């Protein structure tokens, strides 16, 4: 049986969704949480049954879907996140996908589609509707058009994905620490990133760096 956890601050709705999932062959619900923080507390408990898939709402108090998905992607990479939300905004959808969600469904999705999505995430690692695929292609095309990384910036990114300090990267690239700082600021600005962790995730997702 594949284990499913639900994260949604609307208790009645999450209970109803859990009831549907329990009807699907080979799936069981092991946890229902009202926000991301409650899910993480559950995962860290001694008796936790680690889910294979988390059905994740997006907007929740305390710890929302984007933040929780980023955390799971980094610390529990074997757990697949399938977003389940009422939010149809393109930016919200892409935020979840970029955070590591393996699919995005609306809450008015038919029961058969939910079952299909769960099975495809288990068997293939993702489930993208036609709408989500178009958004991903649009986002990638836009990124290619807007962001042009220089060879030395790409070299810097590869080094930044290791455990080297910026000072060590400067020595490796035969550049001054001040120049490396300039590369860092330039790359962060071009890619819309705020920290080194985000840079590593971007580099891995875009095949700039292979861990």
């Amino acid at each position: 049986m594949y284990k499913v956890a639900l994260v949604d601050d609307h208790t009645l709705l999450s209970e109803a969704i859990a009831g549907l999932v329990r009807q699907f062959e080979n799936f069981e619900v092991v946890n229902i949480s009202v926000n991301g923080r409650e899910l993480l507390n559950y995962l860290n408990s001694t008796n936790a049954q680690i889910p294979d898939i988390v059905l994740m709402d997006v907007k929740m108090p305390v710890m929302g879907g984007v933040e929780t998905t980023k955390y799971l992607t980094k610390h529990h990479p074997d757990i697949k996140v399938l977003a389940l939300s009422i939010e149809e905004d393109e930016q919200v959808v892409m935020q979840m996908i970029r955070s590591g969600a393996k699919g995005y469904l609306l809450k008015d999705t038919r029961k058969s589609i939910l079952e299909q999505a769960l099975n495809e995430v288990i068997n293939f690692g993702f489930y993208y509707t036609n709408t989500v695929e178009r958004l991903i292609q649009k986002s990638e095309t836009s990124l290619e058009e807007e962001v042009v990384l220089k060879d030395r910036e790409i070299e810097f990114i590869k080094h930044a994905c290791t455990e080297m300090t910026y000072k060590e990267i400067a020595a490796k690239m035969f550049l001054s620490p001040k120049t490396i700082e300039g590369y860092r600021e330039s790359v962060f600005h071009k890619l819309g990133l705020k920290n080194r962790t985000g840079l590593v995730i971007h580099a891995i997702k875009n095949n700039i760096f292979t861990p």
Side-chain angles (χ1 to χ4, degrees):
M1 296 289 285
Y2 295 109
K3 298 177 178 60
V4 178
L6 288 88
V7 187
D8 196 314
D9 59 325
H10 295 93
T11 305
L12 287 177
L13 181 58
S14 58
E15 289 286 357
I17 295 171
L20 290 178
V21 174
R22 292 186 180 103
Q23 296 175 27
F24 301 155
E25 187 178 1
N26 299 325
F27 289 97
E28 62 176 335
V29 176
V30 296
N31 176 259
I32 299 176
S33 299
V34 297
N35 57 57
R37 176 56 57 195
E38 188 171 295
L39 172 69
L40 299 188
N41 289 339
Y42 168 75
L43 294 178
N44 291 327
S45 64
T46 55
N47 297 321
Q49 297 186 66
I50 304 302
D52 300 290
I53 298 178
V54 173
L55 289 173
M56 183 80 69
D57 193 10
V58 177
K59 293 189 175 181
M60 296 174 288
V62 184
M63 189 173 184
V66 172
E67 184 182 358
T68 308
T69 301
K70 286 180 179 178
Y71 183 92
L72 292 177
T73 299
K74 181 178 180 180
H75 298 282
H76 296 276
D78 291 336
I79 298 177
K80 307 285 194 305
V81 174
L82 181 59
L84 186 61
S85 175
I86 61 172
E87 298 292 333
E88 299 184 66
D89 183 83
E90 291 184 7
Q91 291 185 341
V92 174
V93 175
M94 288 311 302
Q95 271 188 312
M96 286 297 291
I97 298 299
R98 291 193 183 109
S99 297
K102 303 305 181 183
Y104 194 104
L105 296 175
L106 296 177
K107 287 182 176 177
D108 61 359
T109 295
R110 296 193 307 274
K111 174 183 173 181
S112 59
I113 297 299
L114 176 59
E115 183 175 16
Q116 179 185 353
L118 288 171
N119 278 298
E120 292 203 12
V121 168
I122 288 294
N123 294 320
F124 304 111
F126 64 92
Y127 176 81
Y128 295 148
T129 62
N130 292 335
T131 300
V132 171
E133 286 184 346
R134 283 197 298 270
L135 290 177
I136 292 173
Q137 290 171 358
K138 178 181 176 181
S139 175
E140 290 176 346
T141 300
S142 176
L143 186 63
E144 290 172 359
E145 290 174 350
E146 295 176 5
V147 178
V148 177
L149 294 171
K150 299 175 182 178
D151 290 342
R152 291 290 266 174
E153 288 176 332
I154 294 175
E155 183 182 354
F156 163 76
I157 291 173
K158 290 179 179 178
H159 290 317
C161 291
T162 68
E163 295 182 353
M164 284 193 290
T165 65
Y166 287 124
K167 186 175 181 180
E168 290 170 335
I169 293 172
K172 184 76 173 180
M173 295 179 67
F174 301 101
L175 298 171
S176 69
K178 188 172 183 180
T179 301
I180 288 299
E181 184 178 337
Y183 276 134
R184 182 189 64 195
E185 296 302 321
S186 174
V187 167
F188 281 10
H189 176 73
K190 284 183 176 181
L191 300 178
L193 303 172
K194 295 182 179 180
N195 53 51
R196 192 166 176 174
T197 300
L199 181 62
V200 173
I201 294 172
H202 175 87
I204 293 173
K205 286 186 175 180
N206 290 275
N207 298 316
I208 296 174
F209 175 78
T210 303

